[in-house]
Amino acid sequence: MFRLGVLTGGGDCPGLNAVIQGVVVRALQYGYEVYGIEDGYKGLLYGKARKLSLKDVEDIYWLGGTILGTSRKNPAKSDEELKTVVENVKKLGLNALIIIGGDDTLGAAKKLYDRGVPVVGVPKTIDNDIPLTDYSIGFWTAIETIADALHKLHTTARSHKRVMIAEIMGRYAGWLTLMGGIAGGAHIILIPEKPVDLDEVCRIIKERKERGEPYTLIAVAEGVTVPTTGELVAASTEKDEFGHIRLGGVSKILEDEIKKRTGEEVRSVVLGHIQRGGIPSAYDRVLGIRLGFKSVDLVKEEKFGYVVVVRGMDIIPVKIDEVVSTIRKVPPELHEYINVFTGLY
Ligand code: F6P
């Protein structure tokens, strides 16, 4: 009997369960057995997996998070651990693995593939920073959440005639802040791809006031560097197993600086992990199921070392090497939308 393993790694996001449901349903159609690896690569390191039946997954497509659990465990942190993981894949009798993850998880998947493990990858992350795919699972649900939060901030900011700053996730890419900022009507959108001009920010706030708009809503990406120092702001300098610091705090620095320069009342809020939670949007549910199906189709075709990506209406395979070498940032041609609500350029 062909045994297929499936795991979710890295930060969770809405839509992961839809992918899992798609994987299991398609695999059962092909007569495979499916094993869910627990807690990402941790499960492979400690040999923790459970058999998944149709009953386990038939109604999970709309649930947020991942029923398998996840972790930021890097299986390639040491050669010894990588060896153990490869051995455990054999011990569990897995003929192939579907690995659902972002840049770190897929990067590690490539290392497993290079060691002979037959893998197929599925891109997920609210950050939307994976190259060669139009969108990654979880992104559009997070945009809905951000837009909803921004709309709530509009009403309180307007009532108090304040400058309100919302700090948005996304690591070193500004996708969430740009698209969420547009959907939520942020007057000023600050992304890591474009250096922040504080004079310009203060000018827009002043100009809005003069036009009879006494409040301003700013969307800022957590990965924006502080204009005065050029540095990223870390919530914690402790690094995860992939070498990342935890970003967070730039909105507070901007709050103080804008207050000092404009004399306005300013408040900042970090949207935080709320952006990763909740029920997946209809788009992410459908996309998740389709990615799940397509990834198992690749397994059936023995097309390993590929990742399934979204191109318009299609789901297509691309080589894993092409996806993991870099992160995708917001391209310059989209920067013109930054000032969409001020009419400035
Ligand atoms: O990569 C997804 C993401 O949500 C980033 O936007 C954010 O910087 C990071 O994960 C937060 O990680 P953690 O859940 O480990 O705090």
Side-chain angles (χ1 to χ4, degrees), residues 27-315:
L28 294 177
Q29 285 173 351
Y30 289 145
Y32 300 165
E33 274 182 355
V34 191
Y35 285 80
I37 318 290
E38 290 174 24
D39 303 332
Y41 287 120
K42 250 190 204 169
L44 277 186
L45 195 59
Y46 304 116
K48 276 169 64 187
R50 63 179 193 269
K51 195 171 168 185
L52 295 174
S53 67
L54 184 60
K55 190 161 177 2
D56 293 320
V57 301
E58 65 189 347
D59 202 17
I60 63 168
Y61 66 96
W62 63 277
L63 292 179
T66 160
I67 60 158
L68 297 177
T70 188
S71 66
R72 292 204 185 274
K73 178 76 207 156
N74 180 359
K77 204 177 157 219
S78 71
D79 206 49
E80 211 177 301
E81 287 194 342
L82 194 56
K83 261 193 208 149
T84 309
V85 164
V86 175
E87 274 164 23
N88 282 346
V89 172
K90 284 193 194 127
K91 274 190 200 155
L92 290 165
L94 301 174
N95 302 99
L97 261 183
I98 290 185
I99 297 179
I100 311 164
D103 51 342
D104 293 332
T105 303
L106 294 176
K110 181 187 151 20
K111 290 190 178 140
L112 290 184
Y113 176 66
D114 291 344
R115 297 269 176 131
V117 179
V119 304
V120 170
V122 177
K124 73 83 223 177
T125 168
I126 64 165
D127 300 346
N128 203 41
D129 59 356
I130 301 174
L132 300 179
T133 187
D134 291 352
Y135 304 112
S136 51
I137 246 327
F139 173 66
W140 282 108
T141 306
I143 294 297
E144 296 287 342
T145 305
I146 292 163
D148 184 49
L150 294 184
H151 286 139
K152 288 179 172 139
L153 294 175
H154 270 284
T155 62
T156 172
R158 188 185 291 122
S159 306
H160 285 267
K161 301 180 176 52
R162 282 174 174 161
V163 174
M164 191 69 85
I165 309 173
E167 182 173 314
I168 294 169
M169 281 185 170
R171 281 227 171 108
Y172 314 109
W175 292 101
L176 283 173
T177 305
L178 177 63
M179 302 299 200
I182 294 171
H187 305 113
I188 298 171
I189 297 173
L190 305 173
I191 59 173
E193 290 84 350
K194 200 169 188 276
V196 174
D197 180 344
L198 263 183
D199 293 335
E200 172 78 346
V201 168
C202 295
R203 198 174 61 75
I204 293 173
I205 294 167
K206 200 163 155 263
E207 199 173 279
R208 281 181 53 76
K209 214 171 169 189
E210 284 164 3
R211 284 196 276 124
E213 296 289 357
Y215 83 103
T216 298
L217 181 59
I218 302 176
V220 62
E222 63 179 2
V224 155
T225 50
V226 179
T228 44
T229 63
E231 282 172 7
L232 287 166
V233 186
S236 152
T237 47
E238 210 179 293
K239 290 190 175 162
D240 69 16
E241 290 205 0
F242 291 92
H244 300 293
I245 51 162
R246 194 148 53 80
L247 294 174
V250 69
S251 57
K252 179 66 185 132
I253 293 173
L254 291 179
E255 174 188 320
D256 295 343
E257 196 63 33
I258 293 171
K259 191 173 166 206
K260 202 165 74 189
R261 292 184 183 214
T262 63
E264 295 295 321
E265 251 193 280
V266 190
R267 297 285 189 274
S268 59
V269 54
V270 178
L271 300 190
H273 291 80
I274 287 169
Q275 296 164 97
R276 288 221 312 250
I279 294 172
S281 65
Y283 178 86
D284 276 330
R285 291 178 220 173
V286 175
L287 180 61
I289 300 264
R290 289 189 68 203
L291 289 169
F293 266 48
K294 187 70 182 183
S295 60
V296 180
D297 289 348
L298 292 196
V299 170
K300 181 128 180 41
E301 291 163 29
E302 295 186 9
K303 209 162 174 173
F304 299 115
Y306 280 82
V307 172
V308 286
V309 300
V310 185
R311 289 286 170 76
M313 287 298 287
D314 300 324
I315 310 279

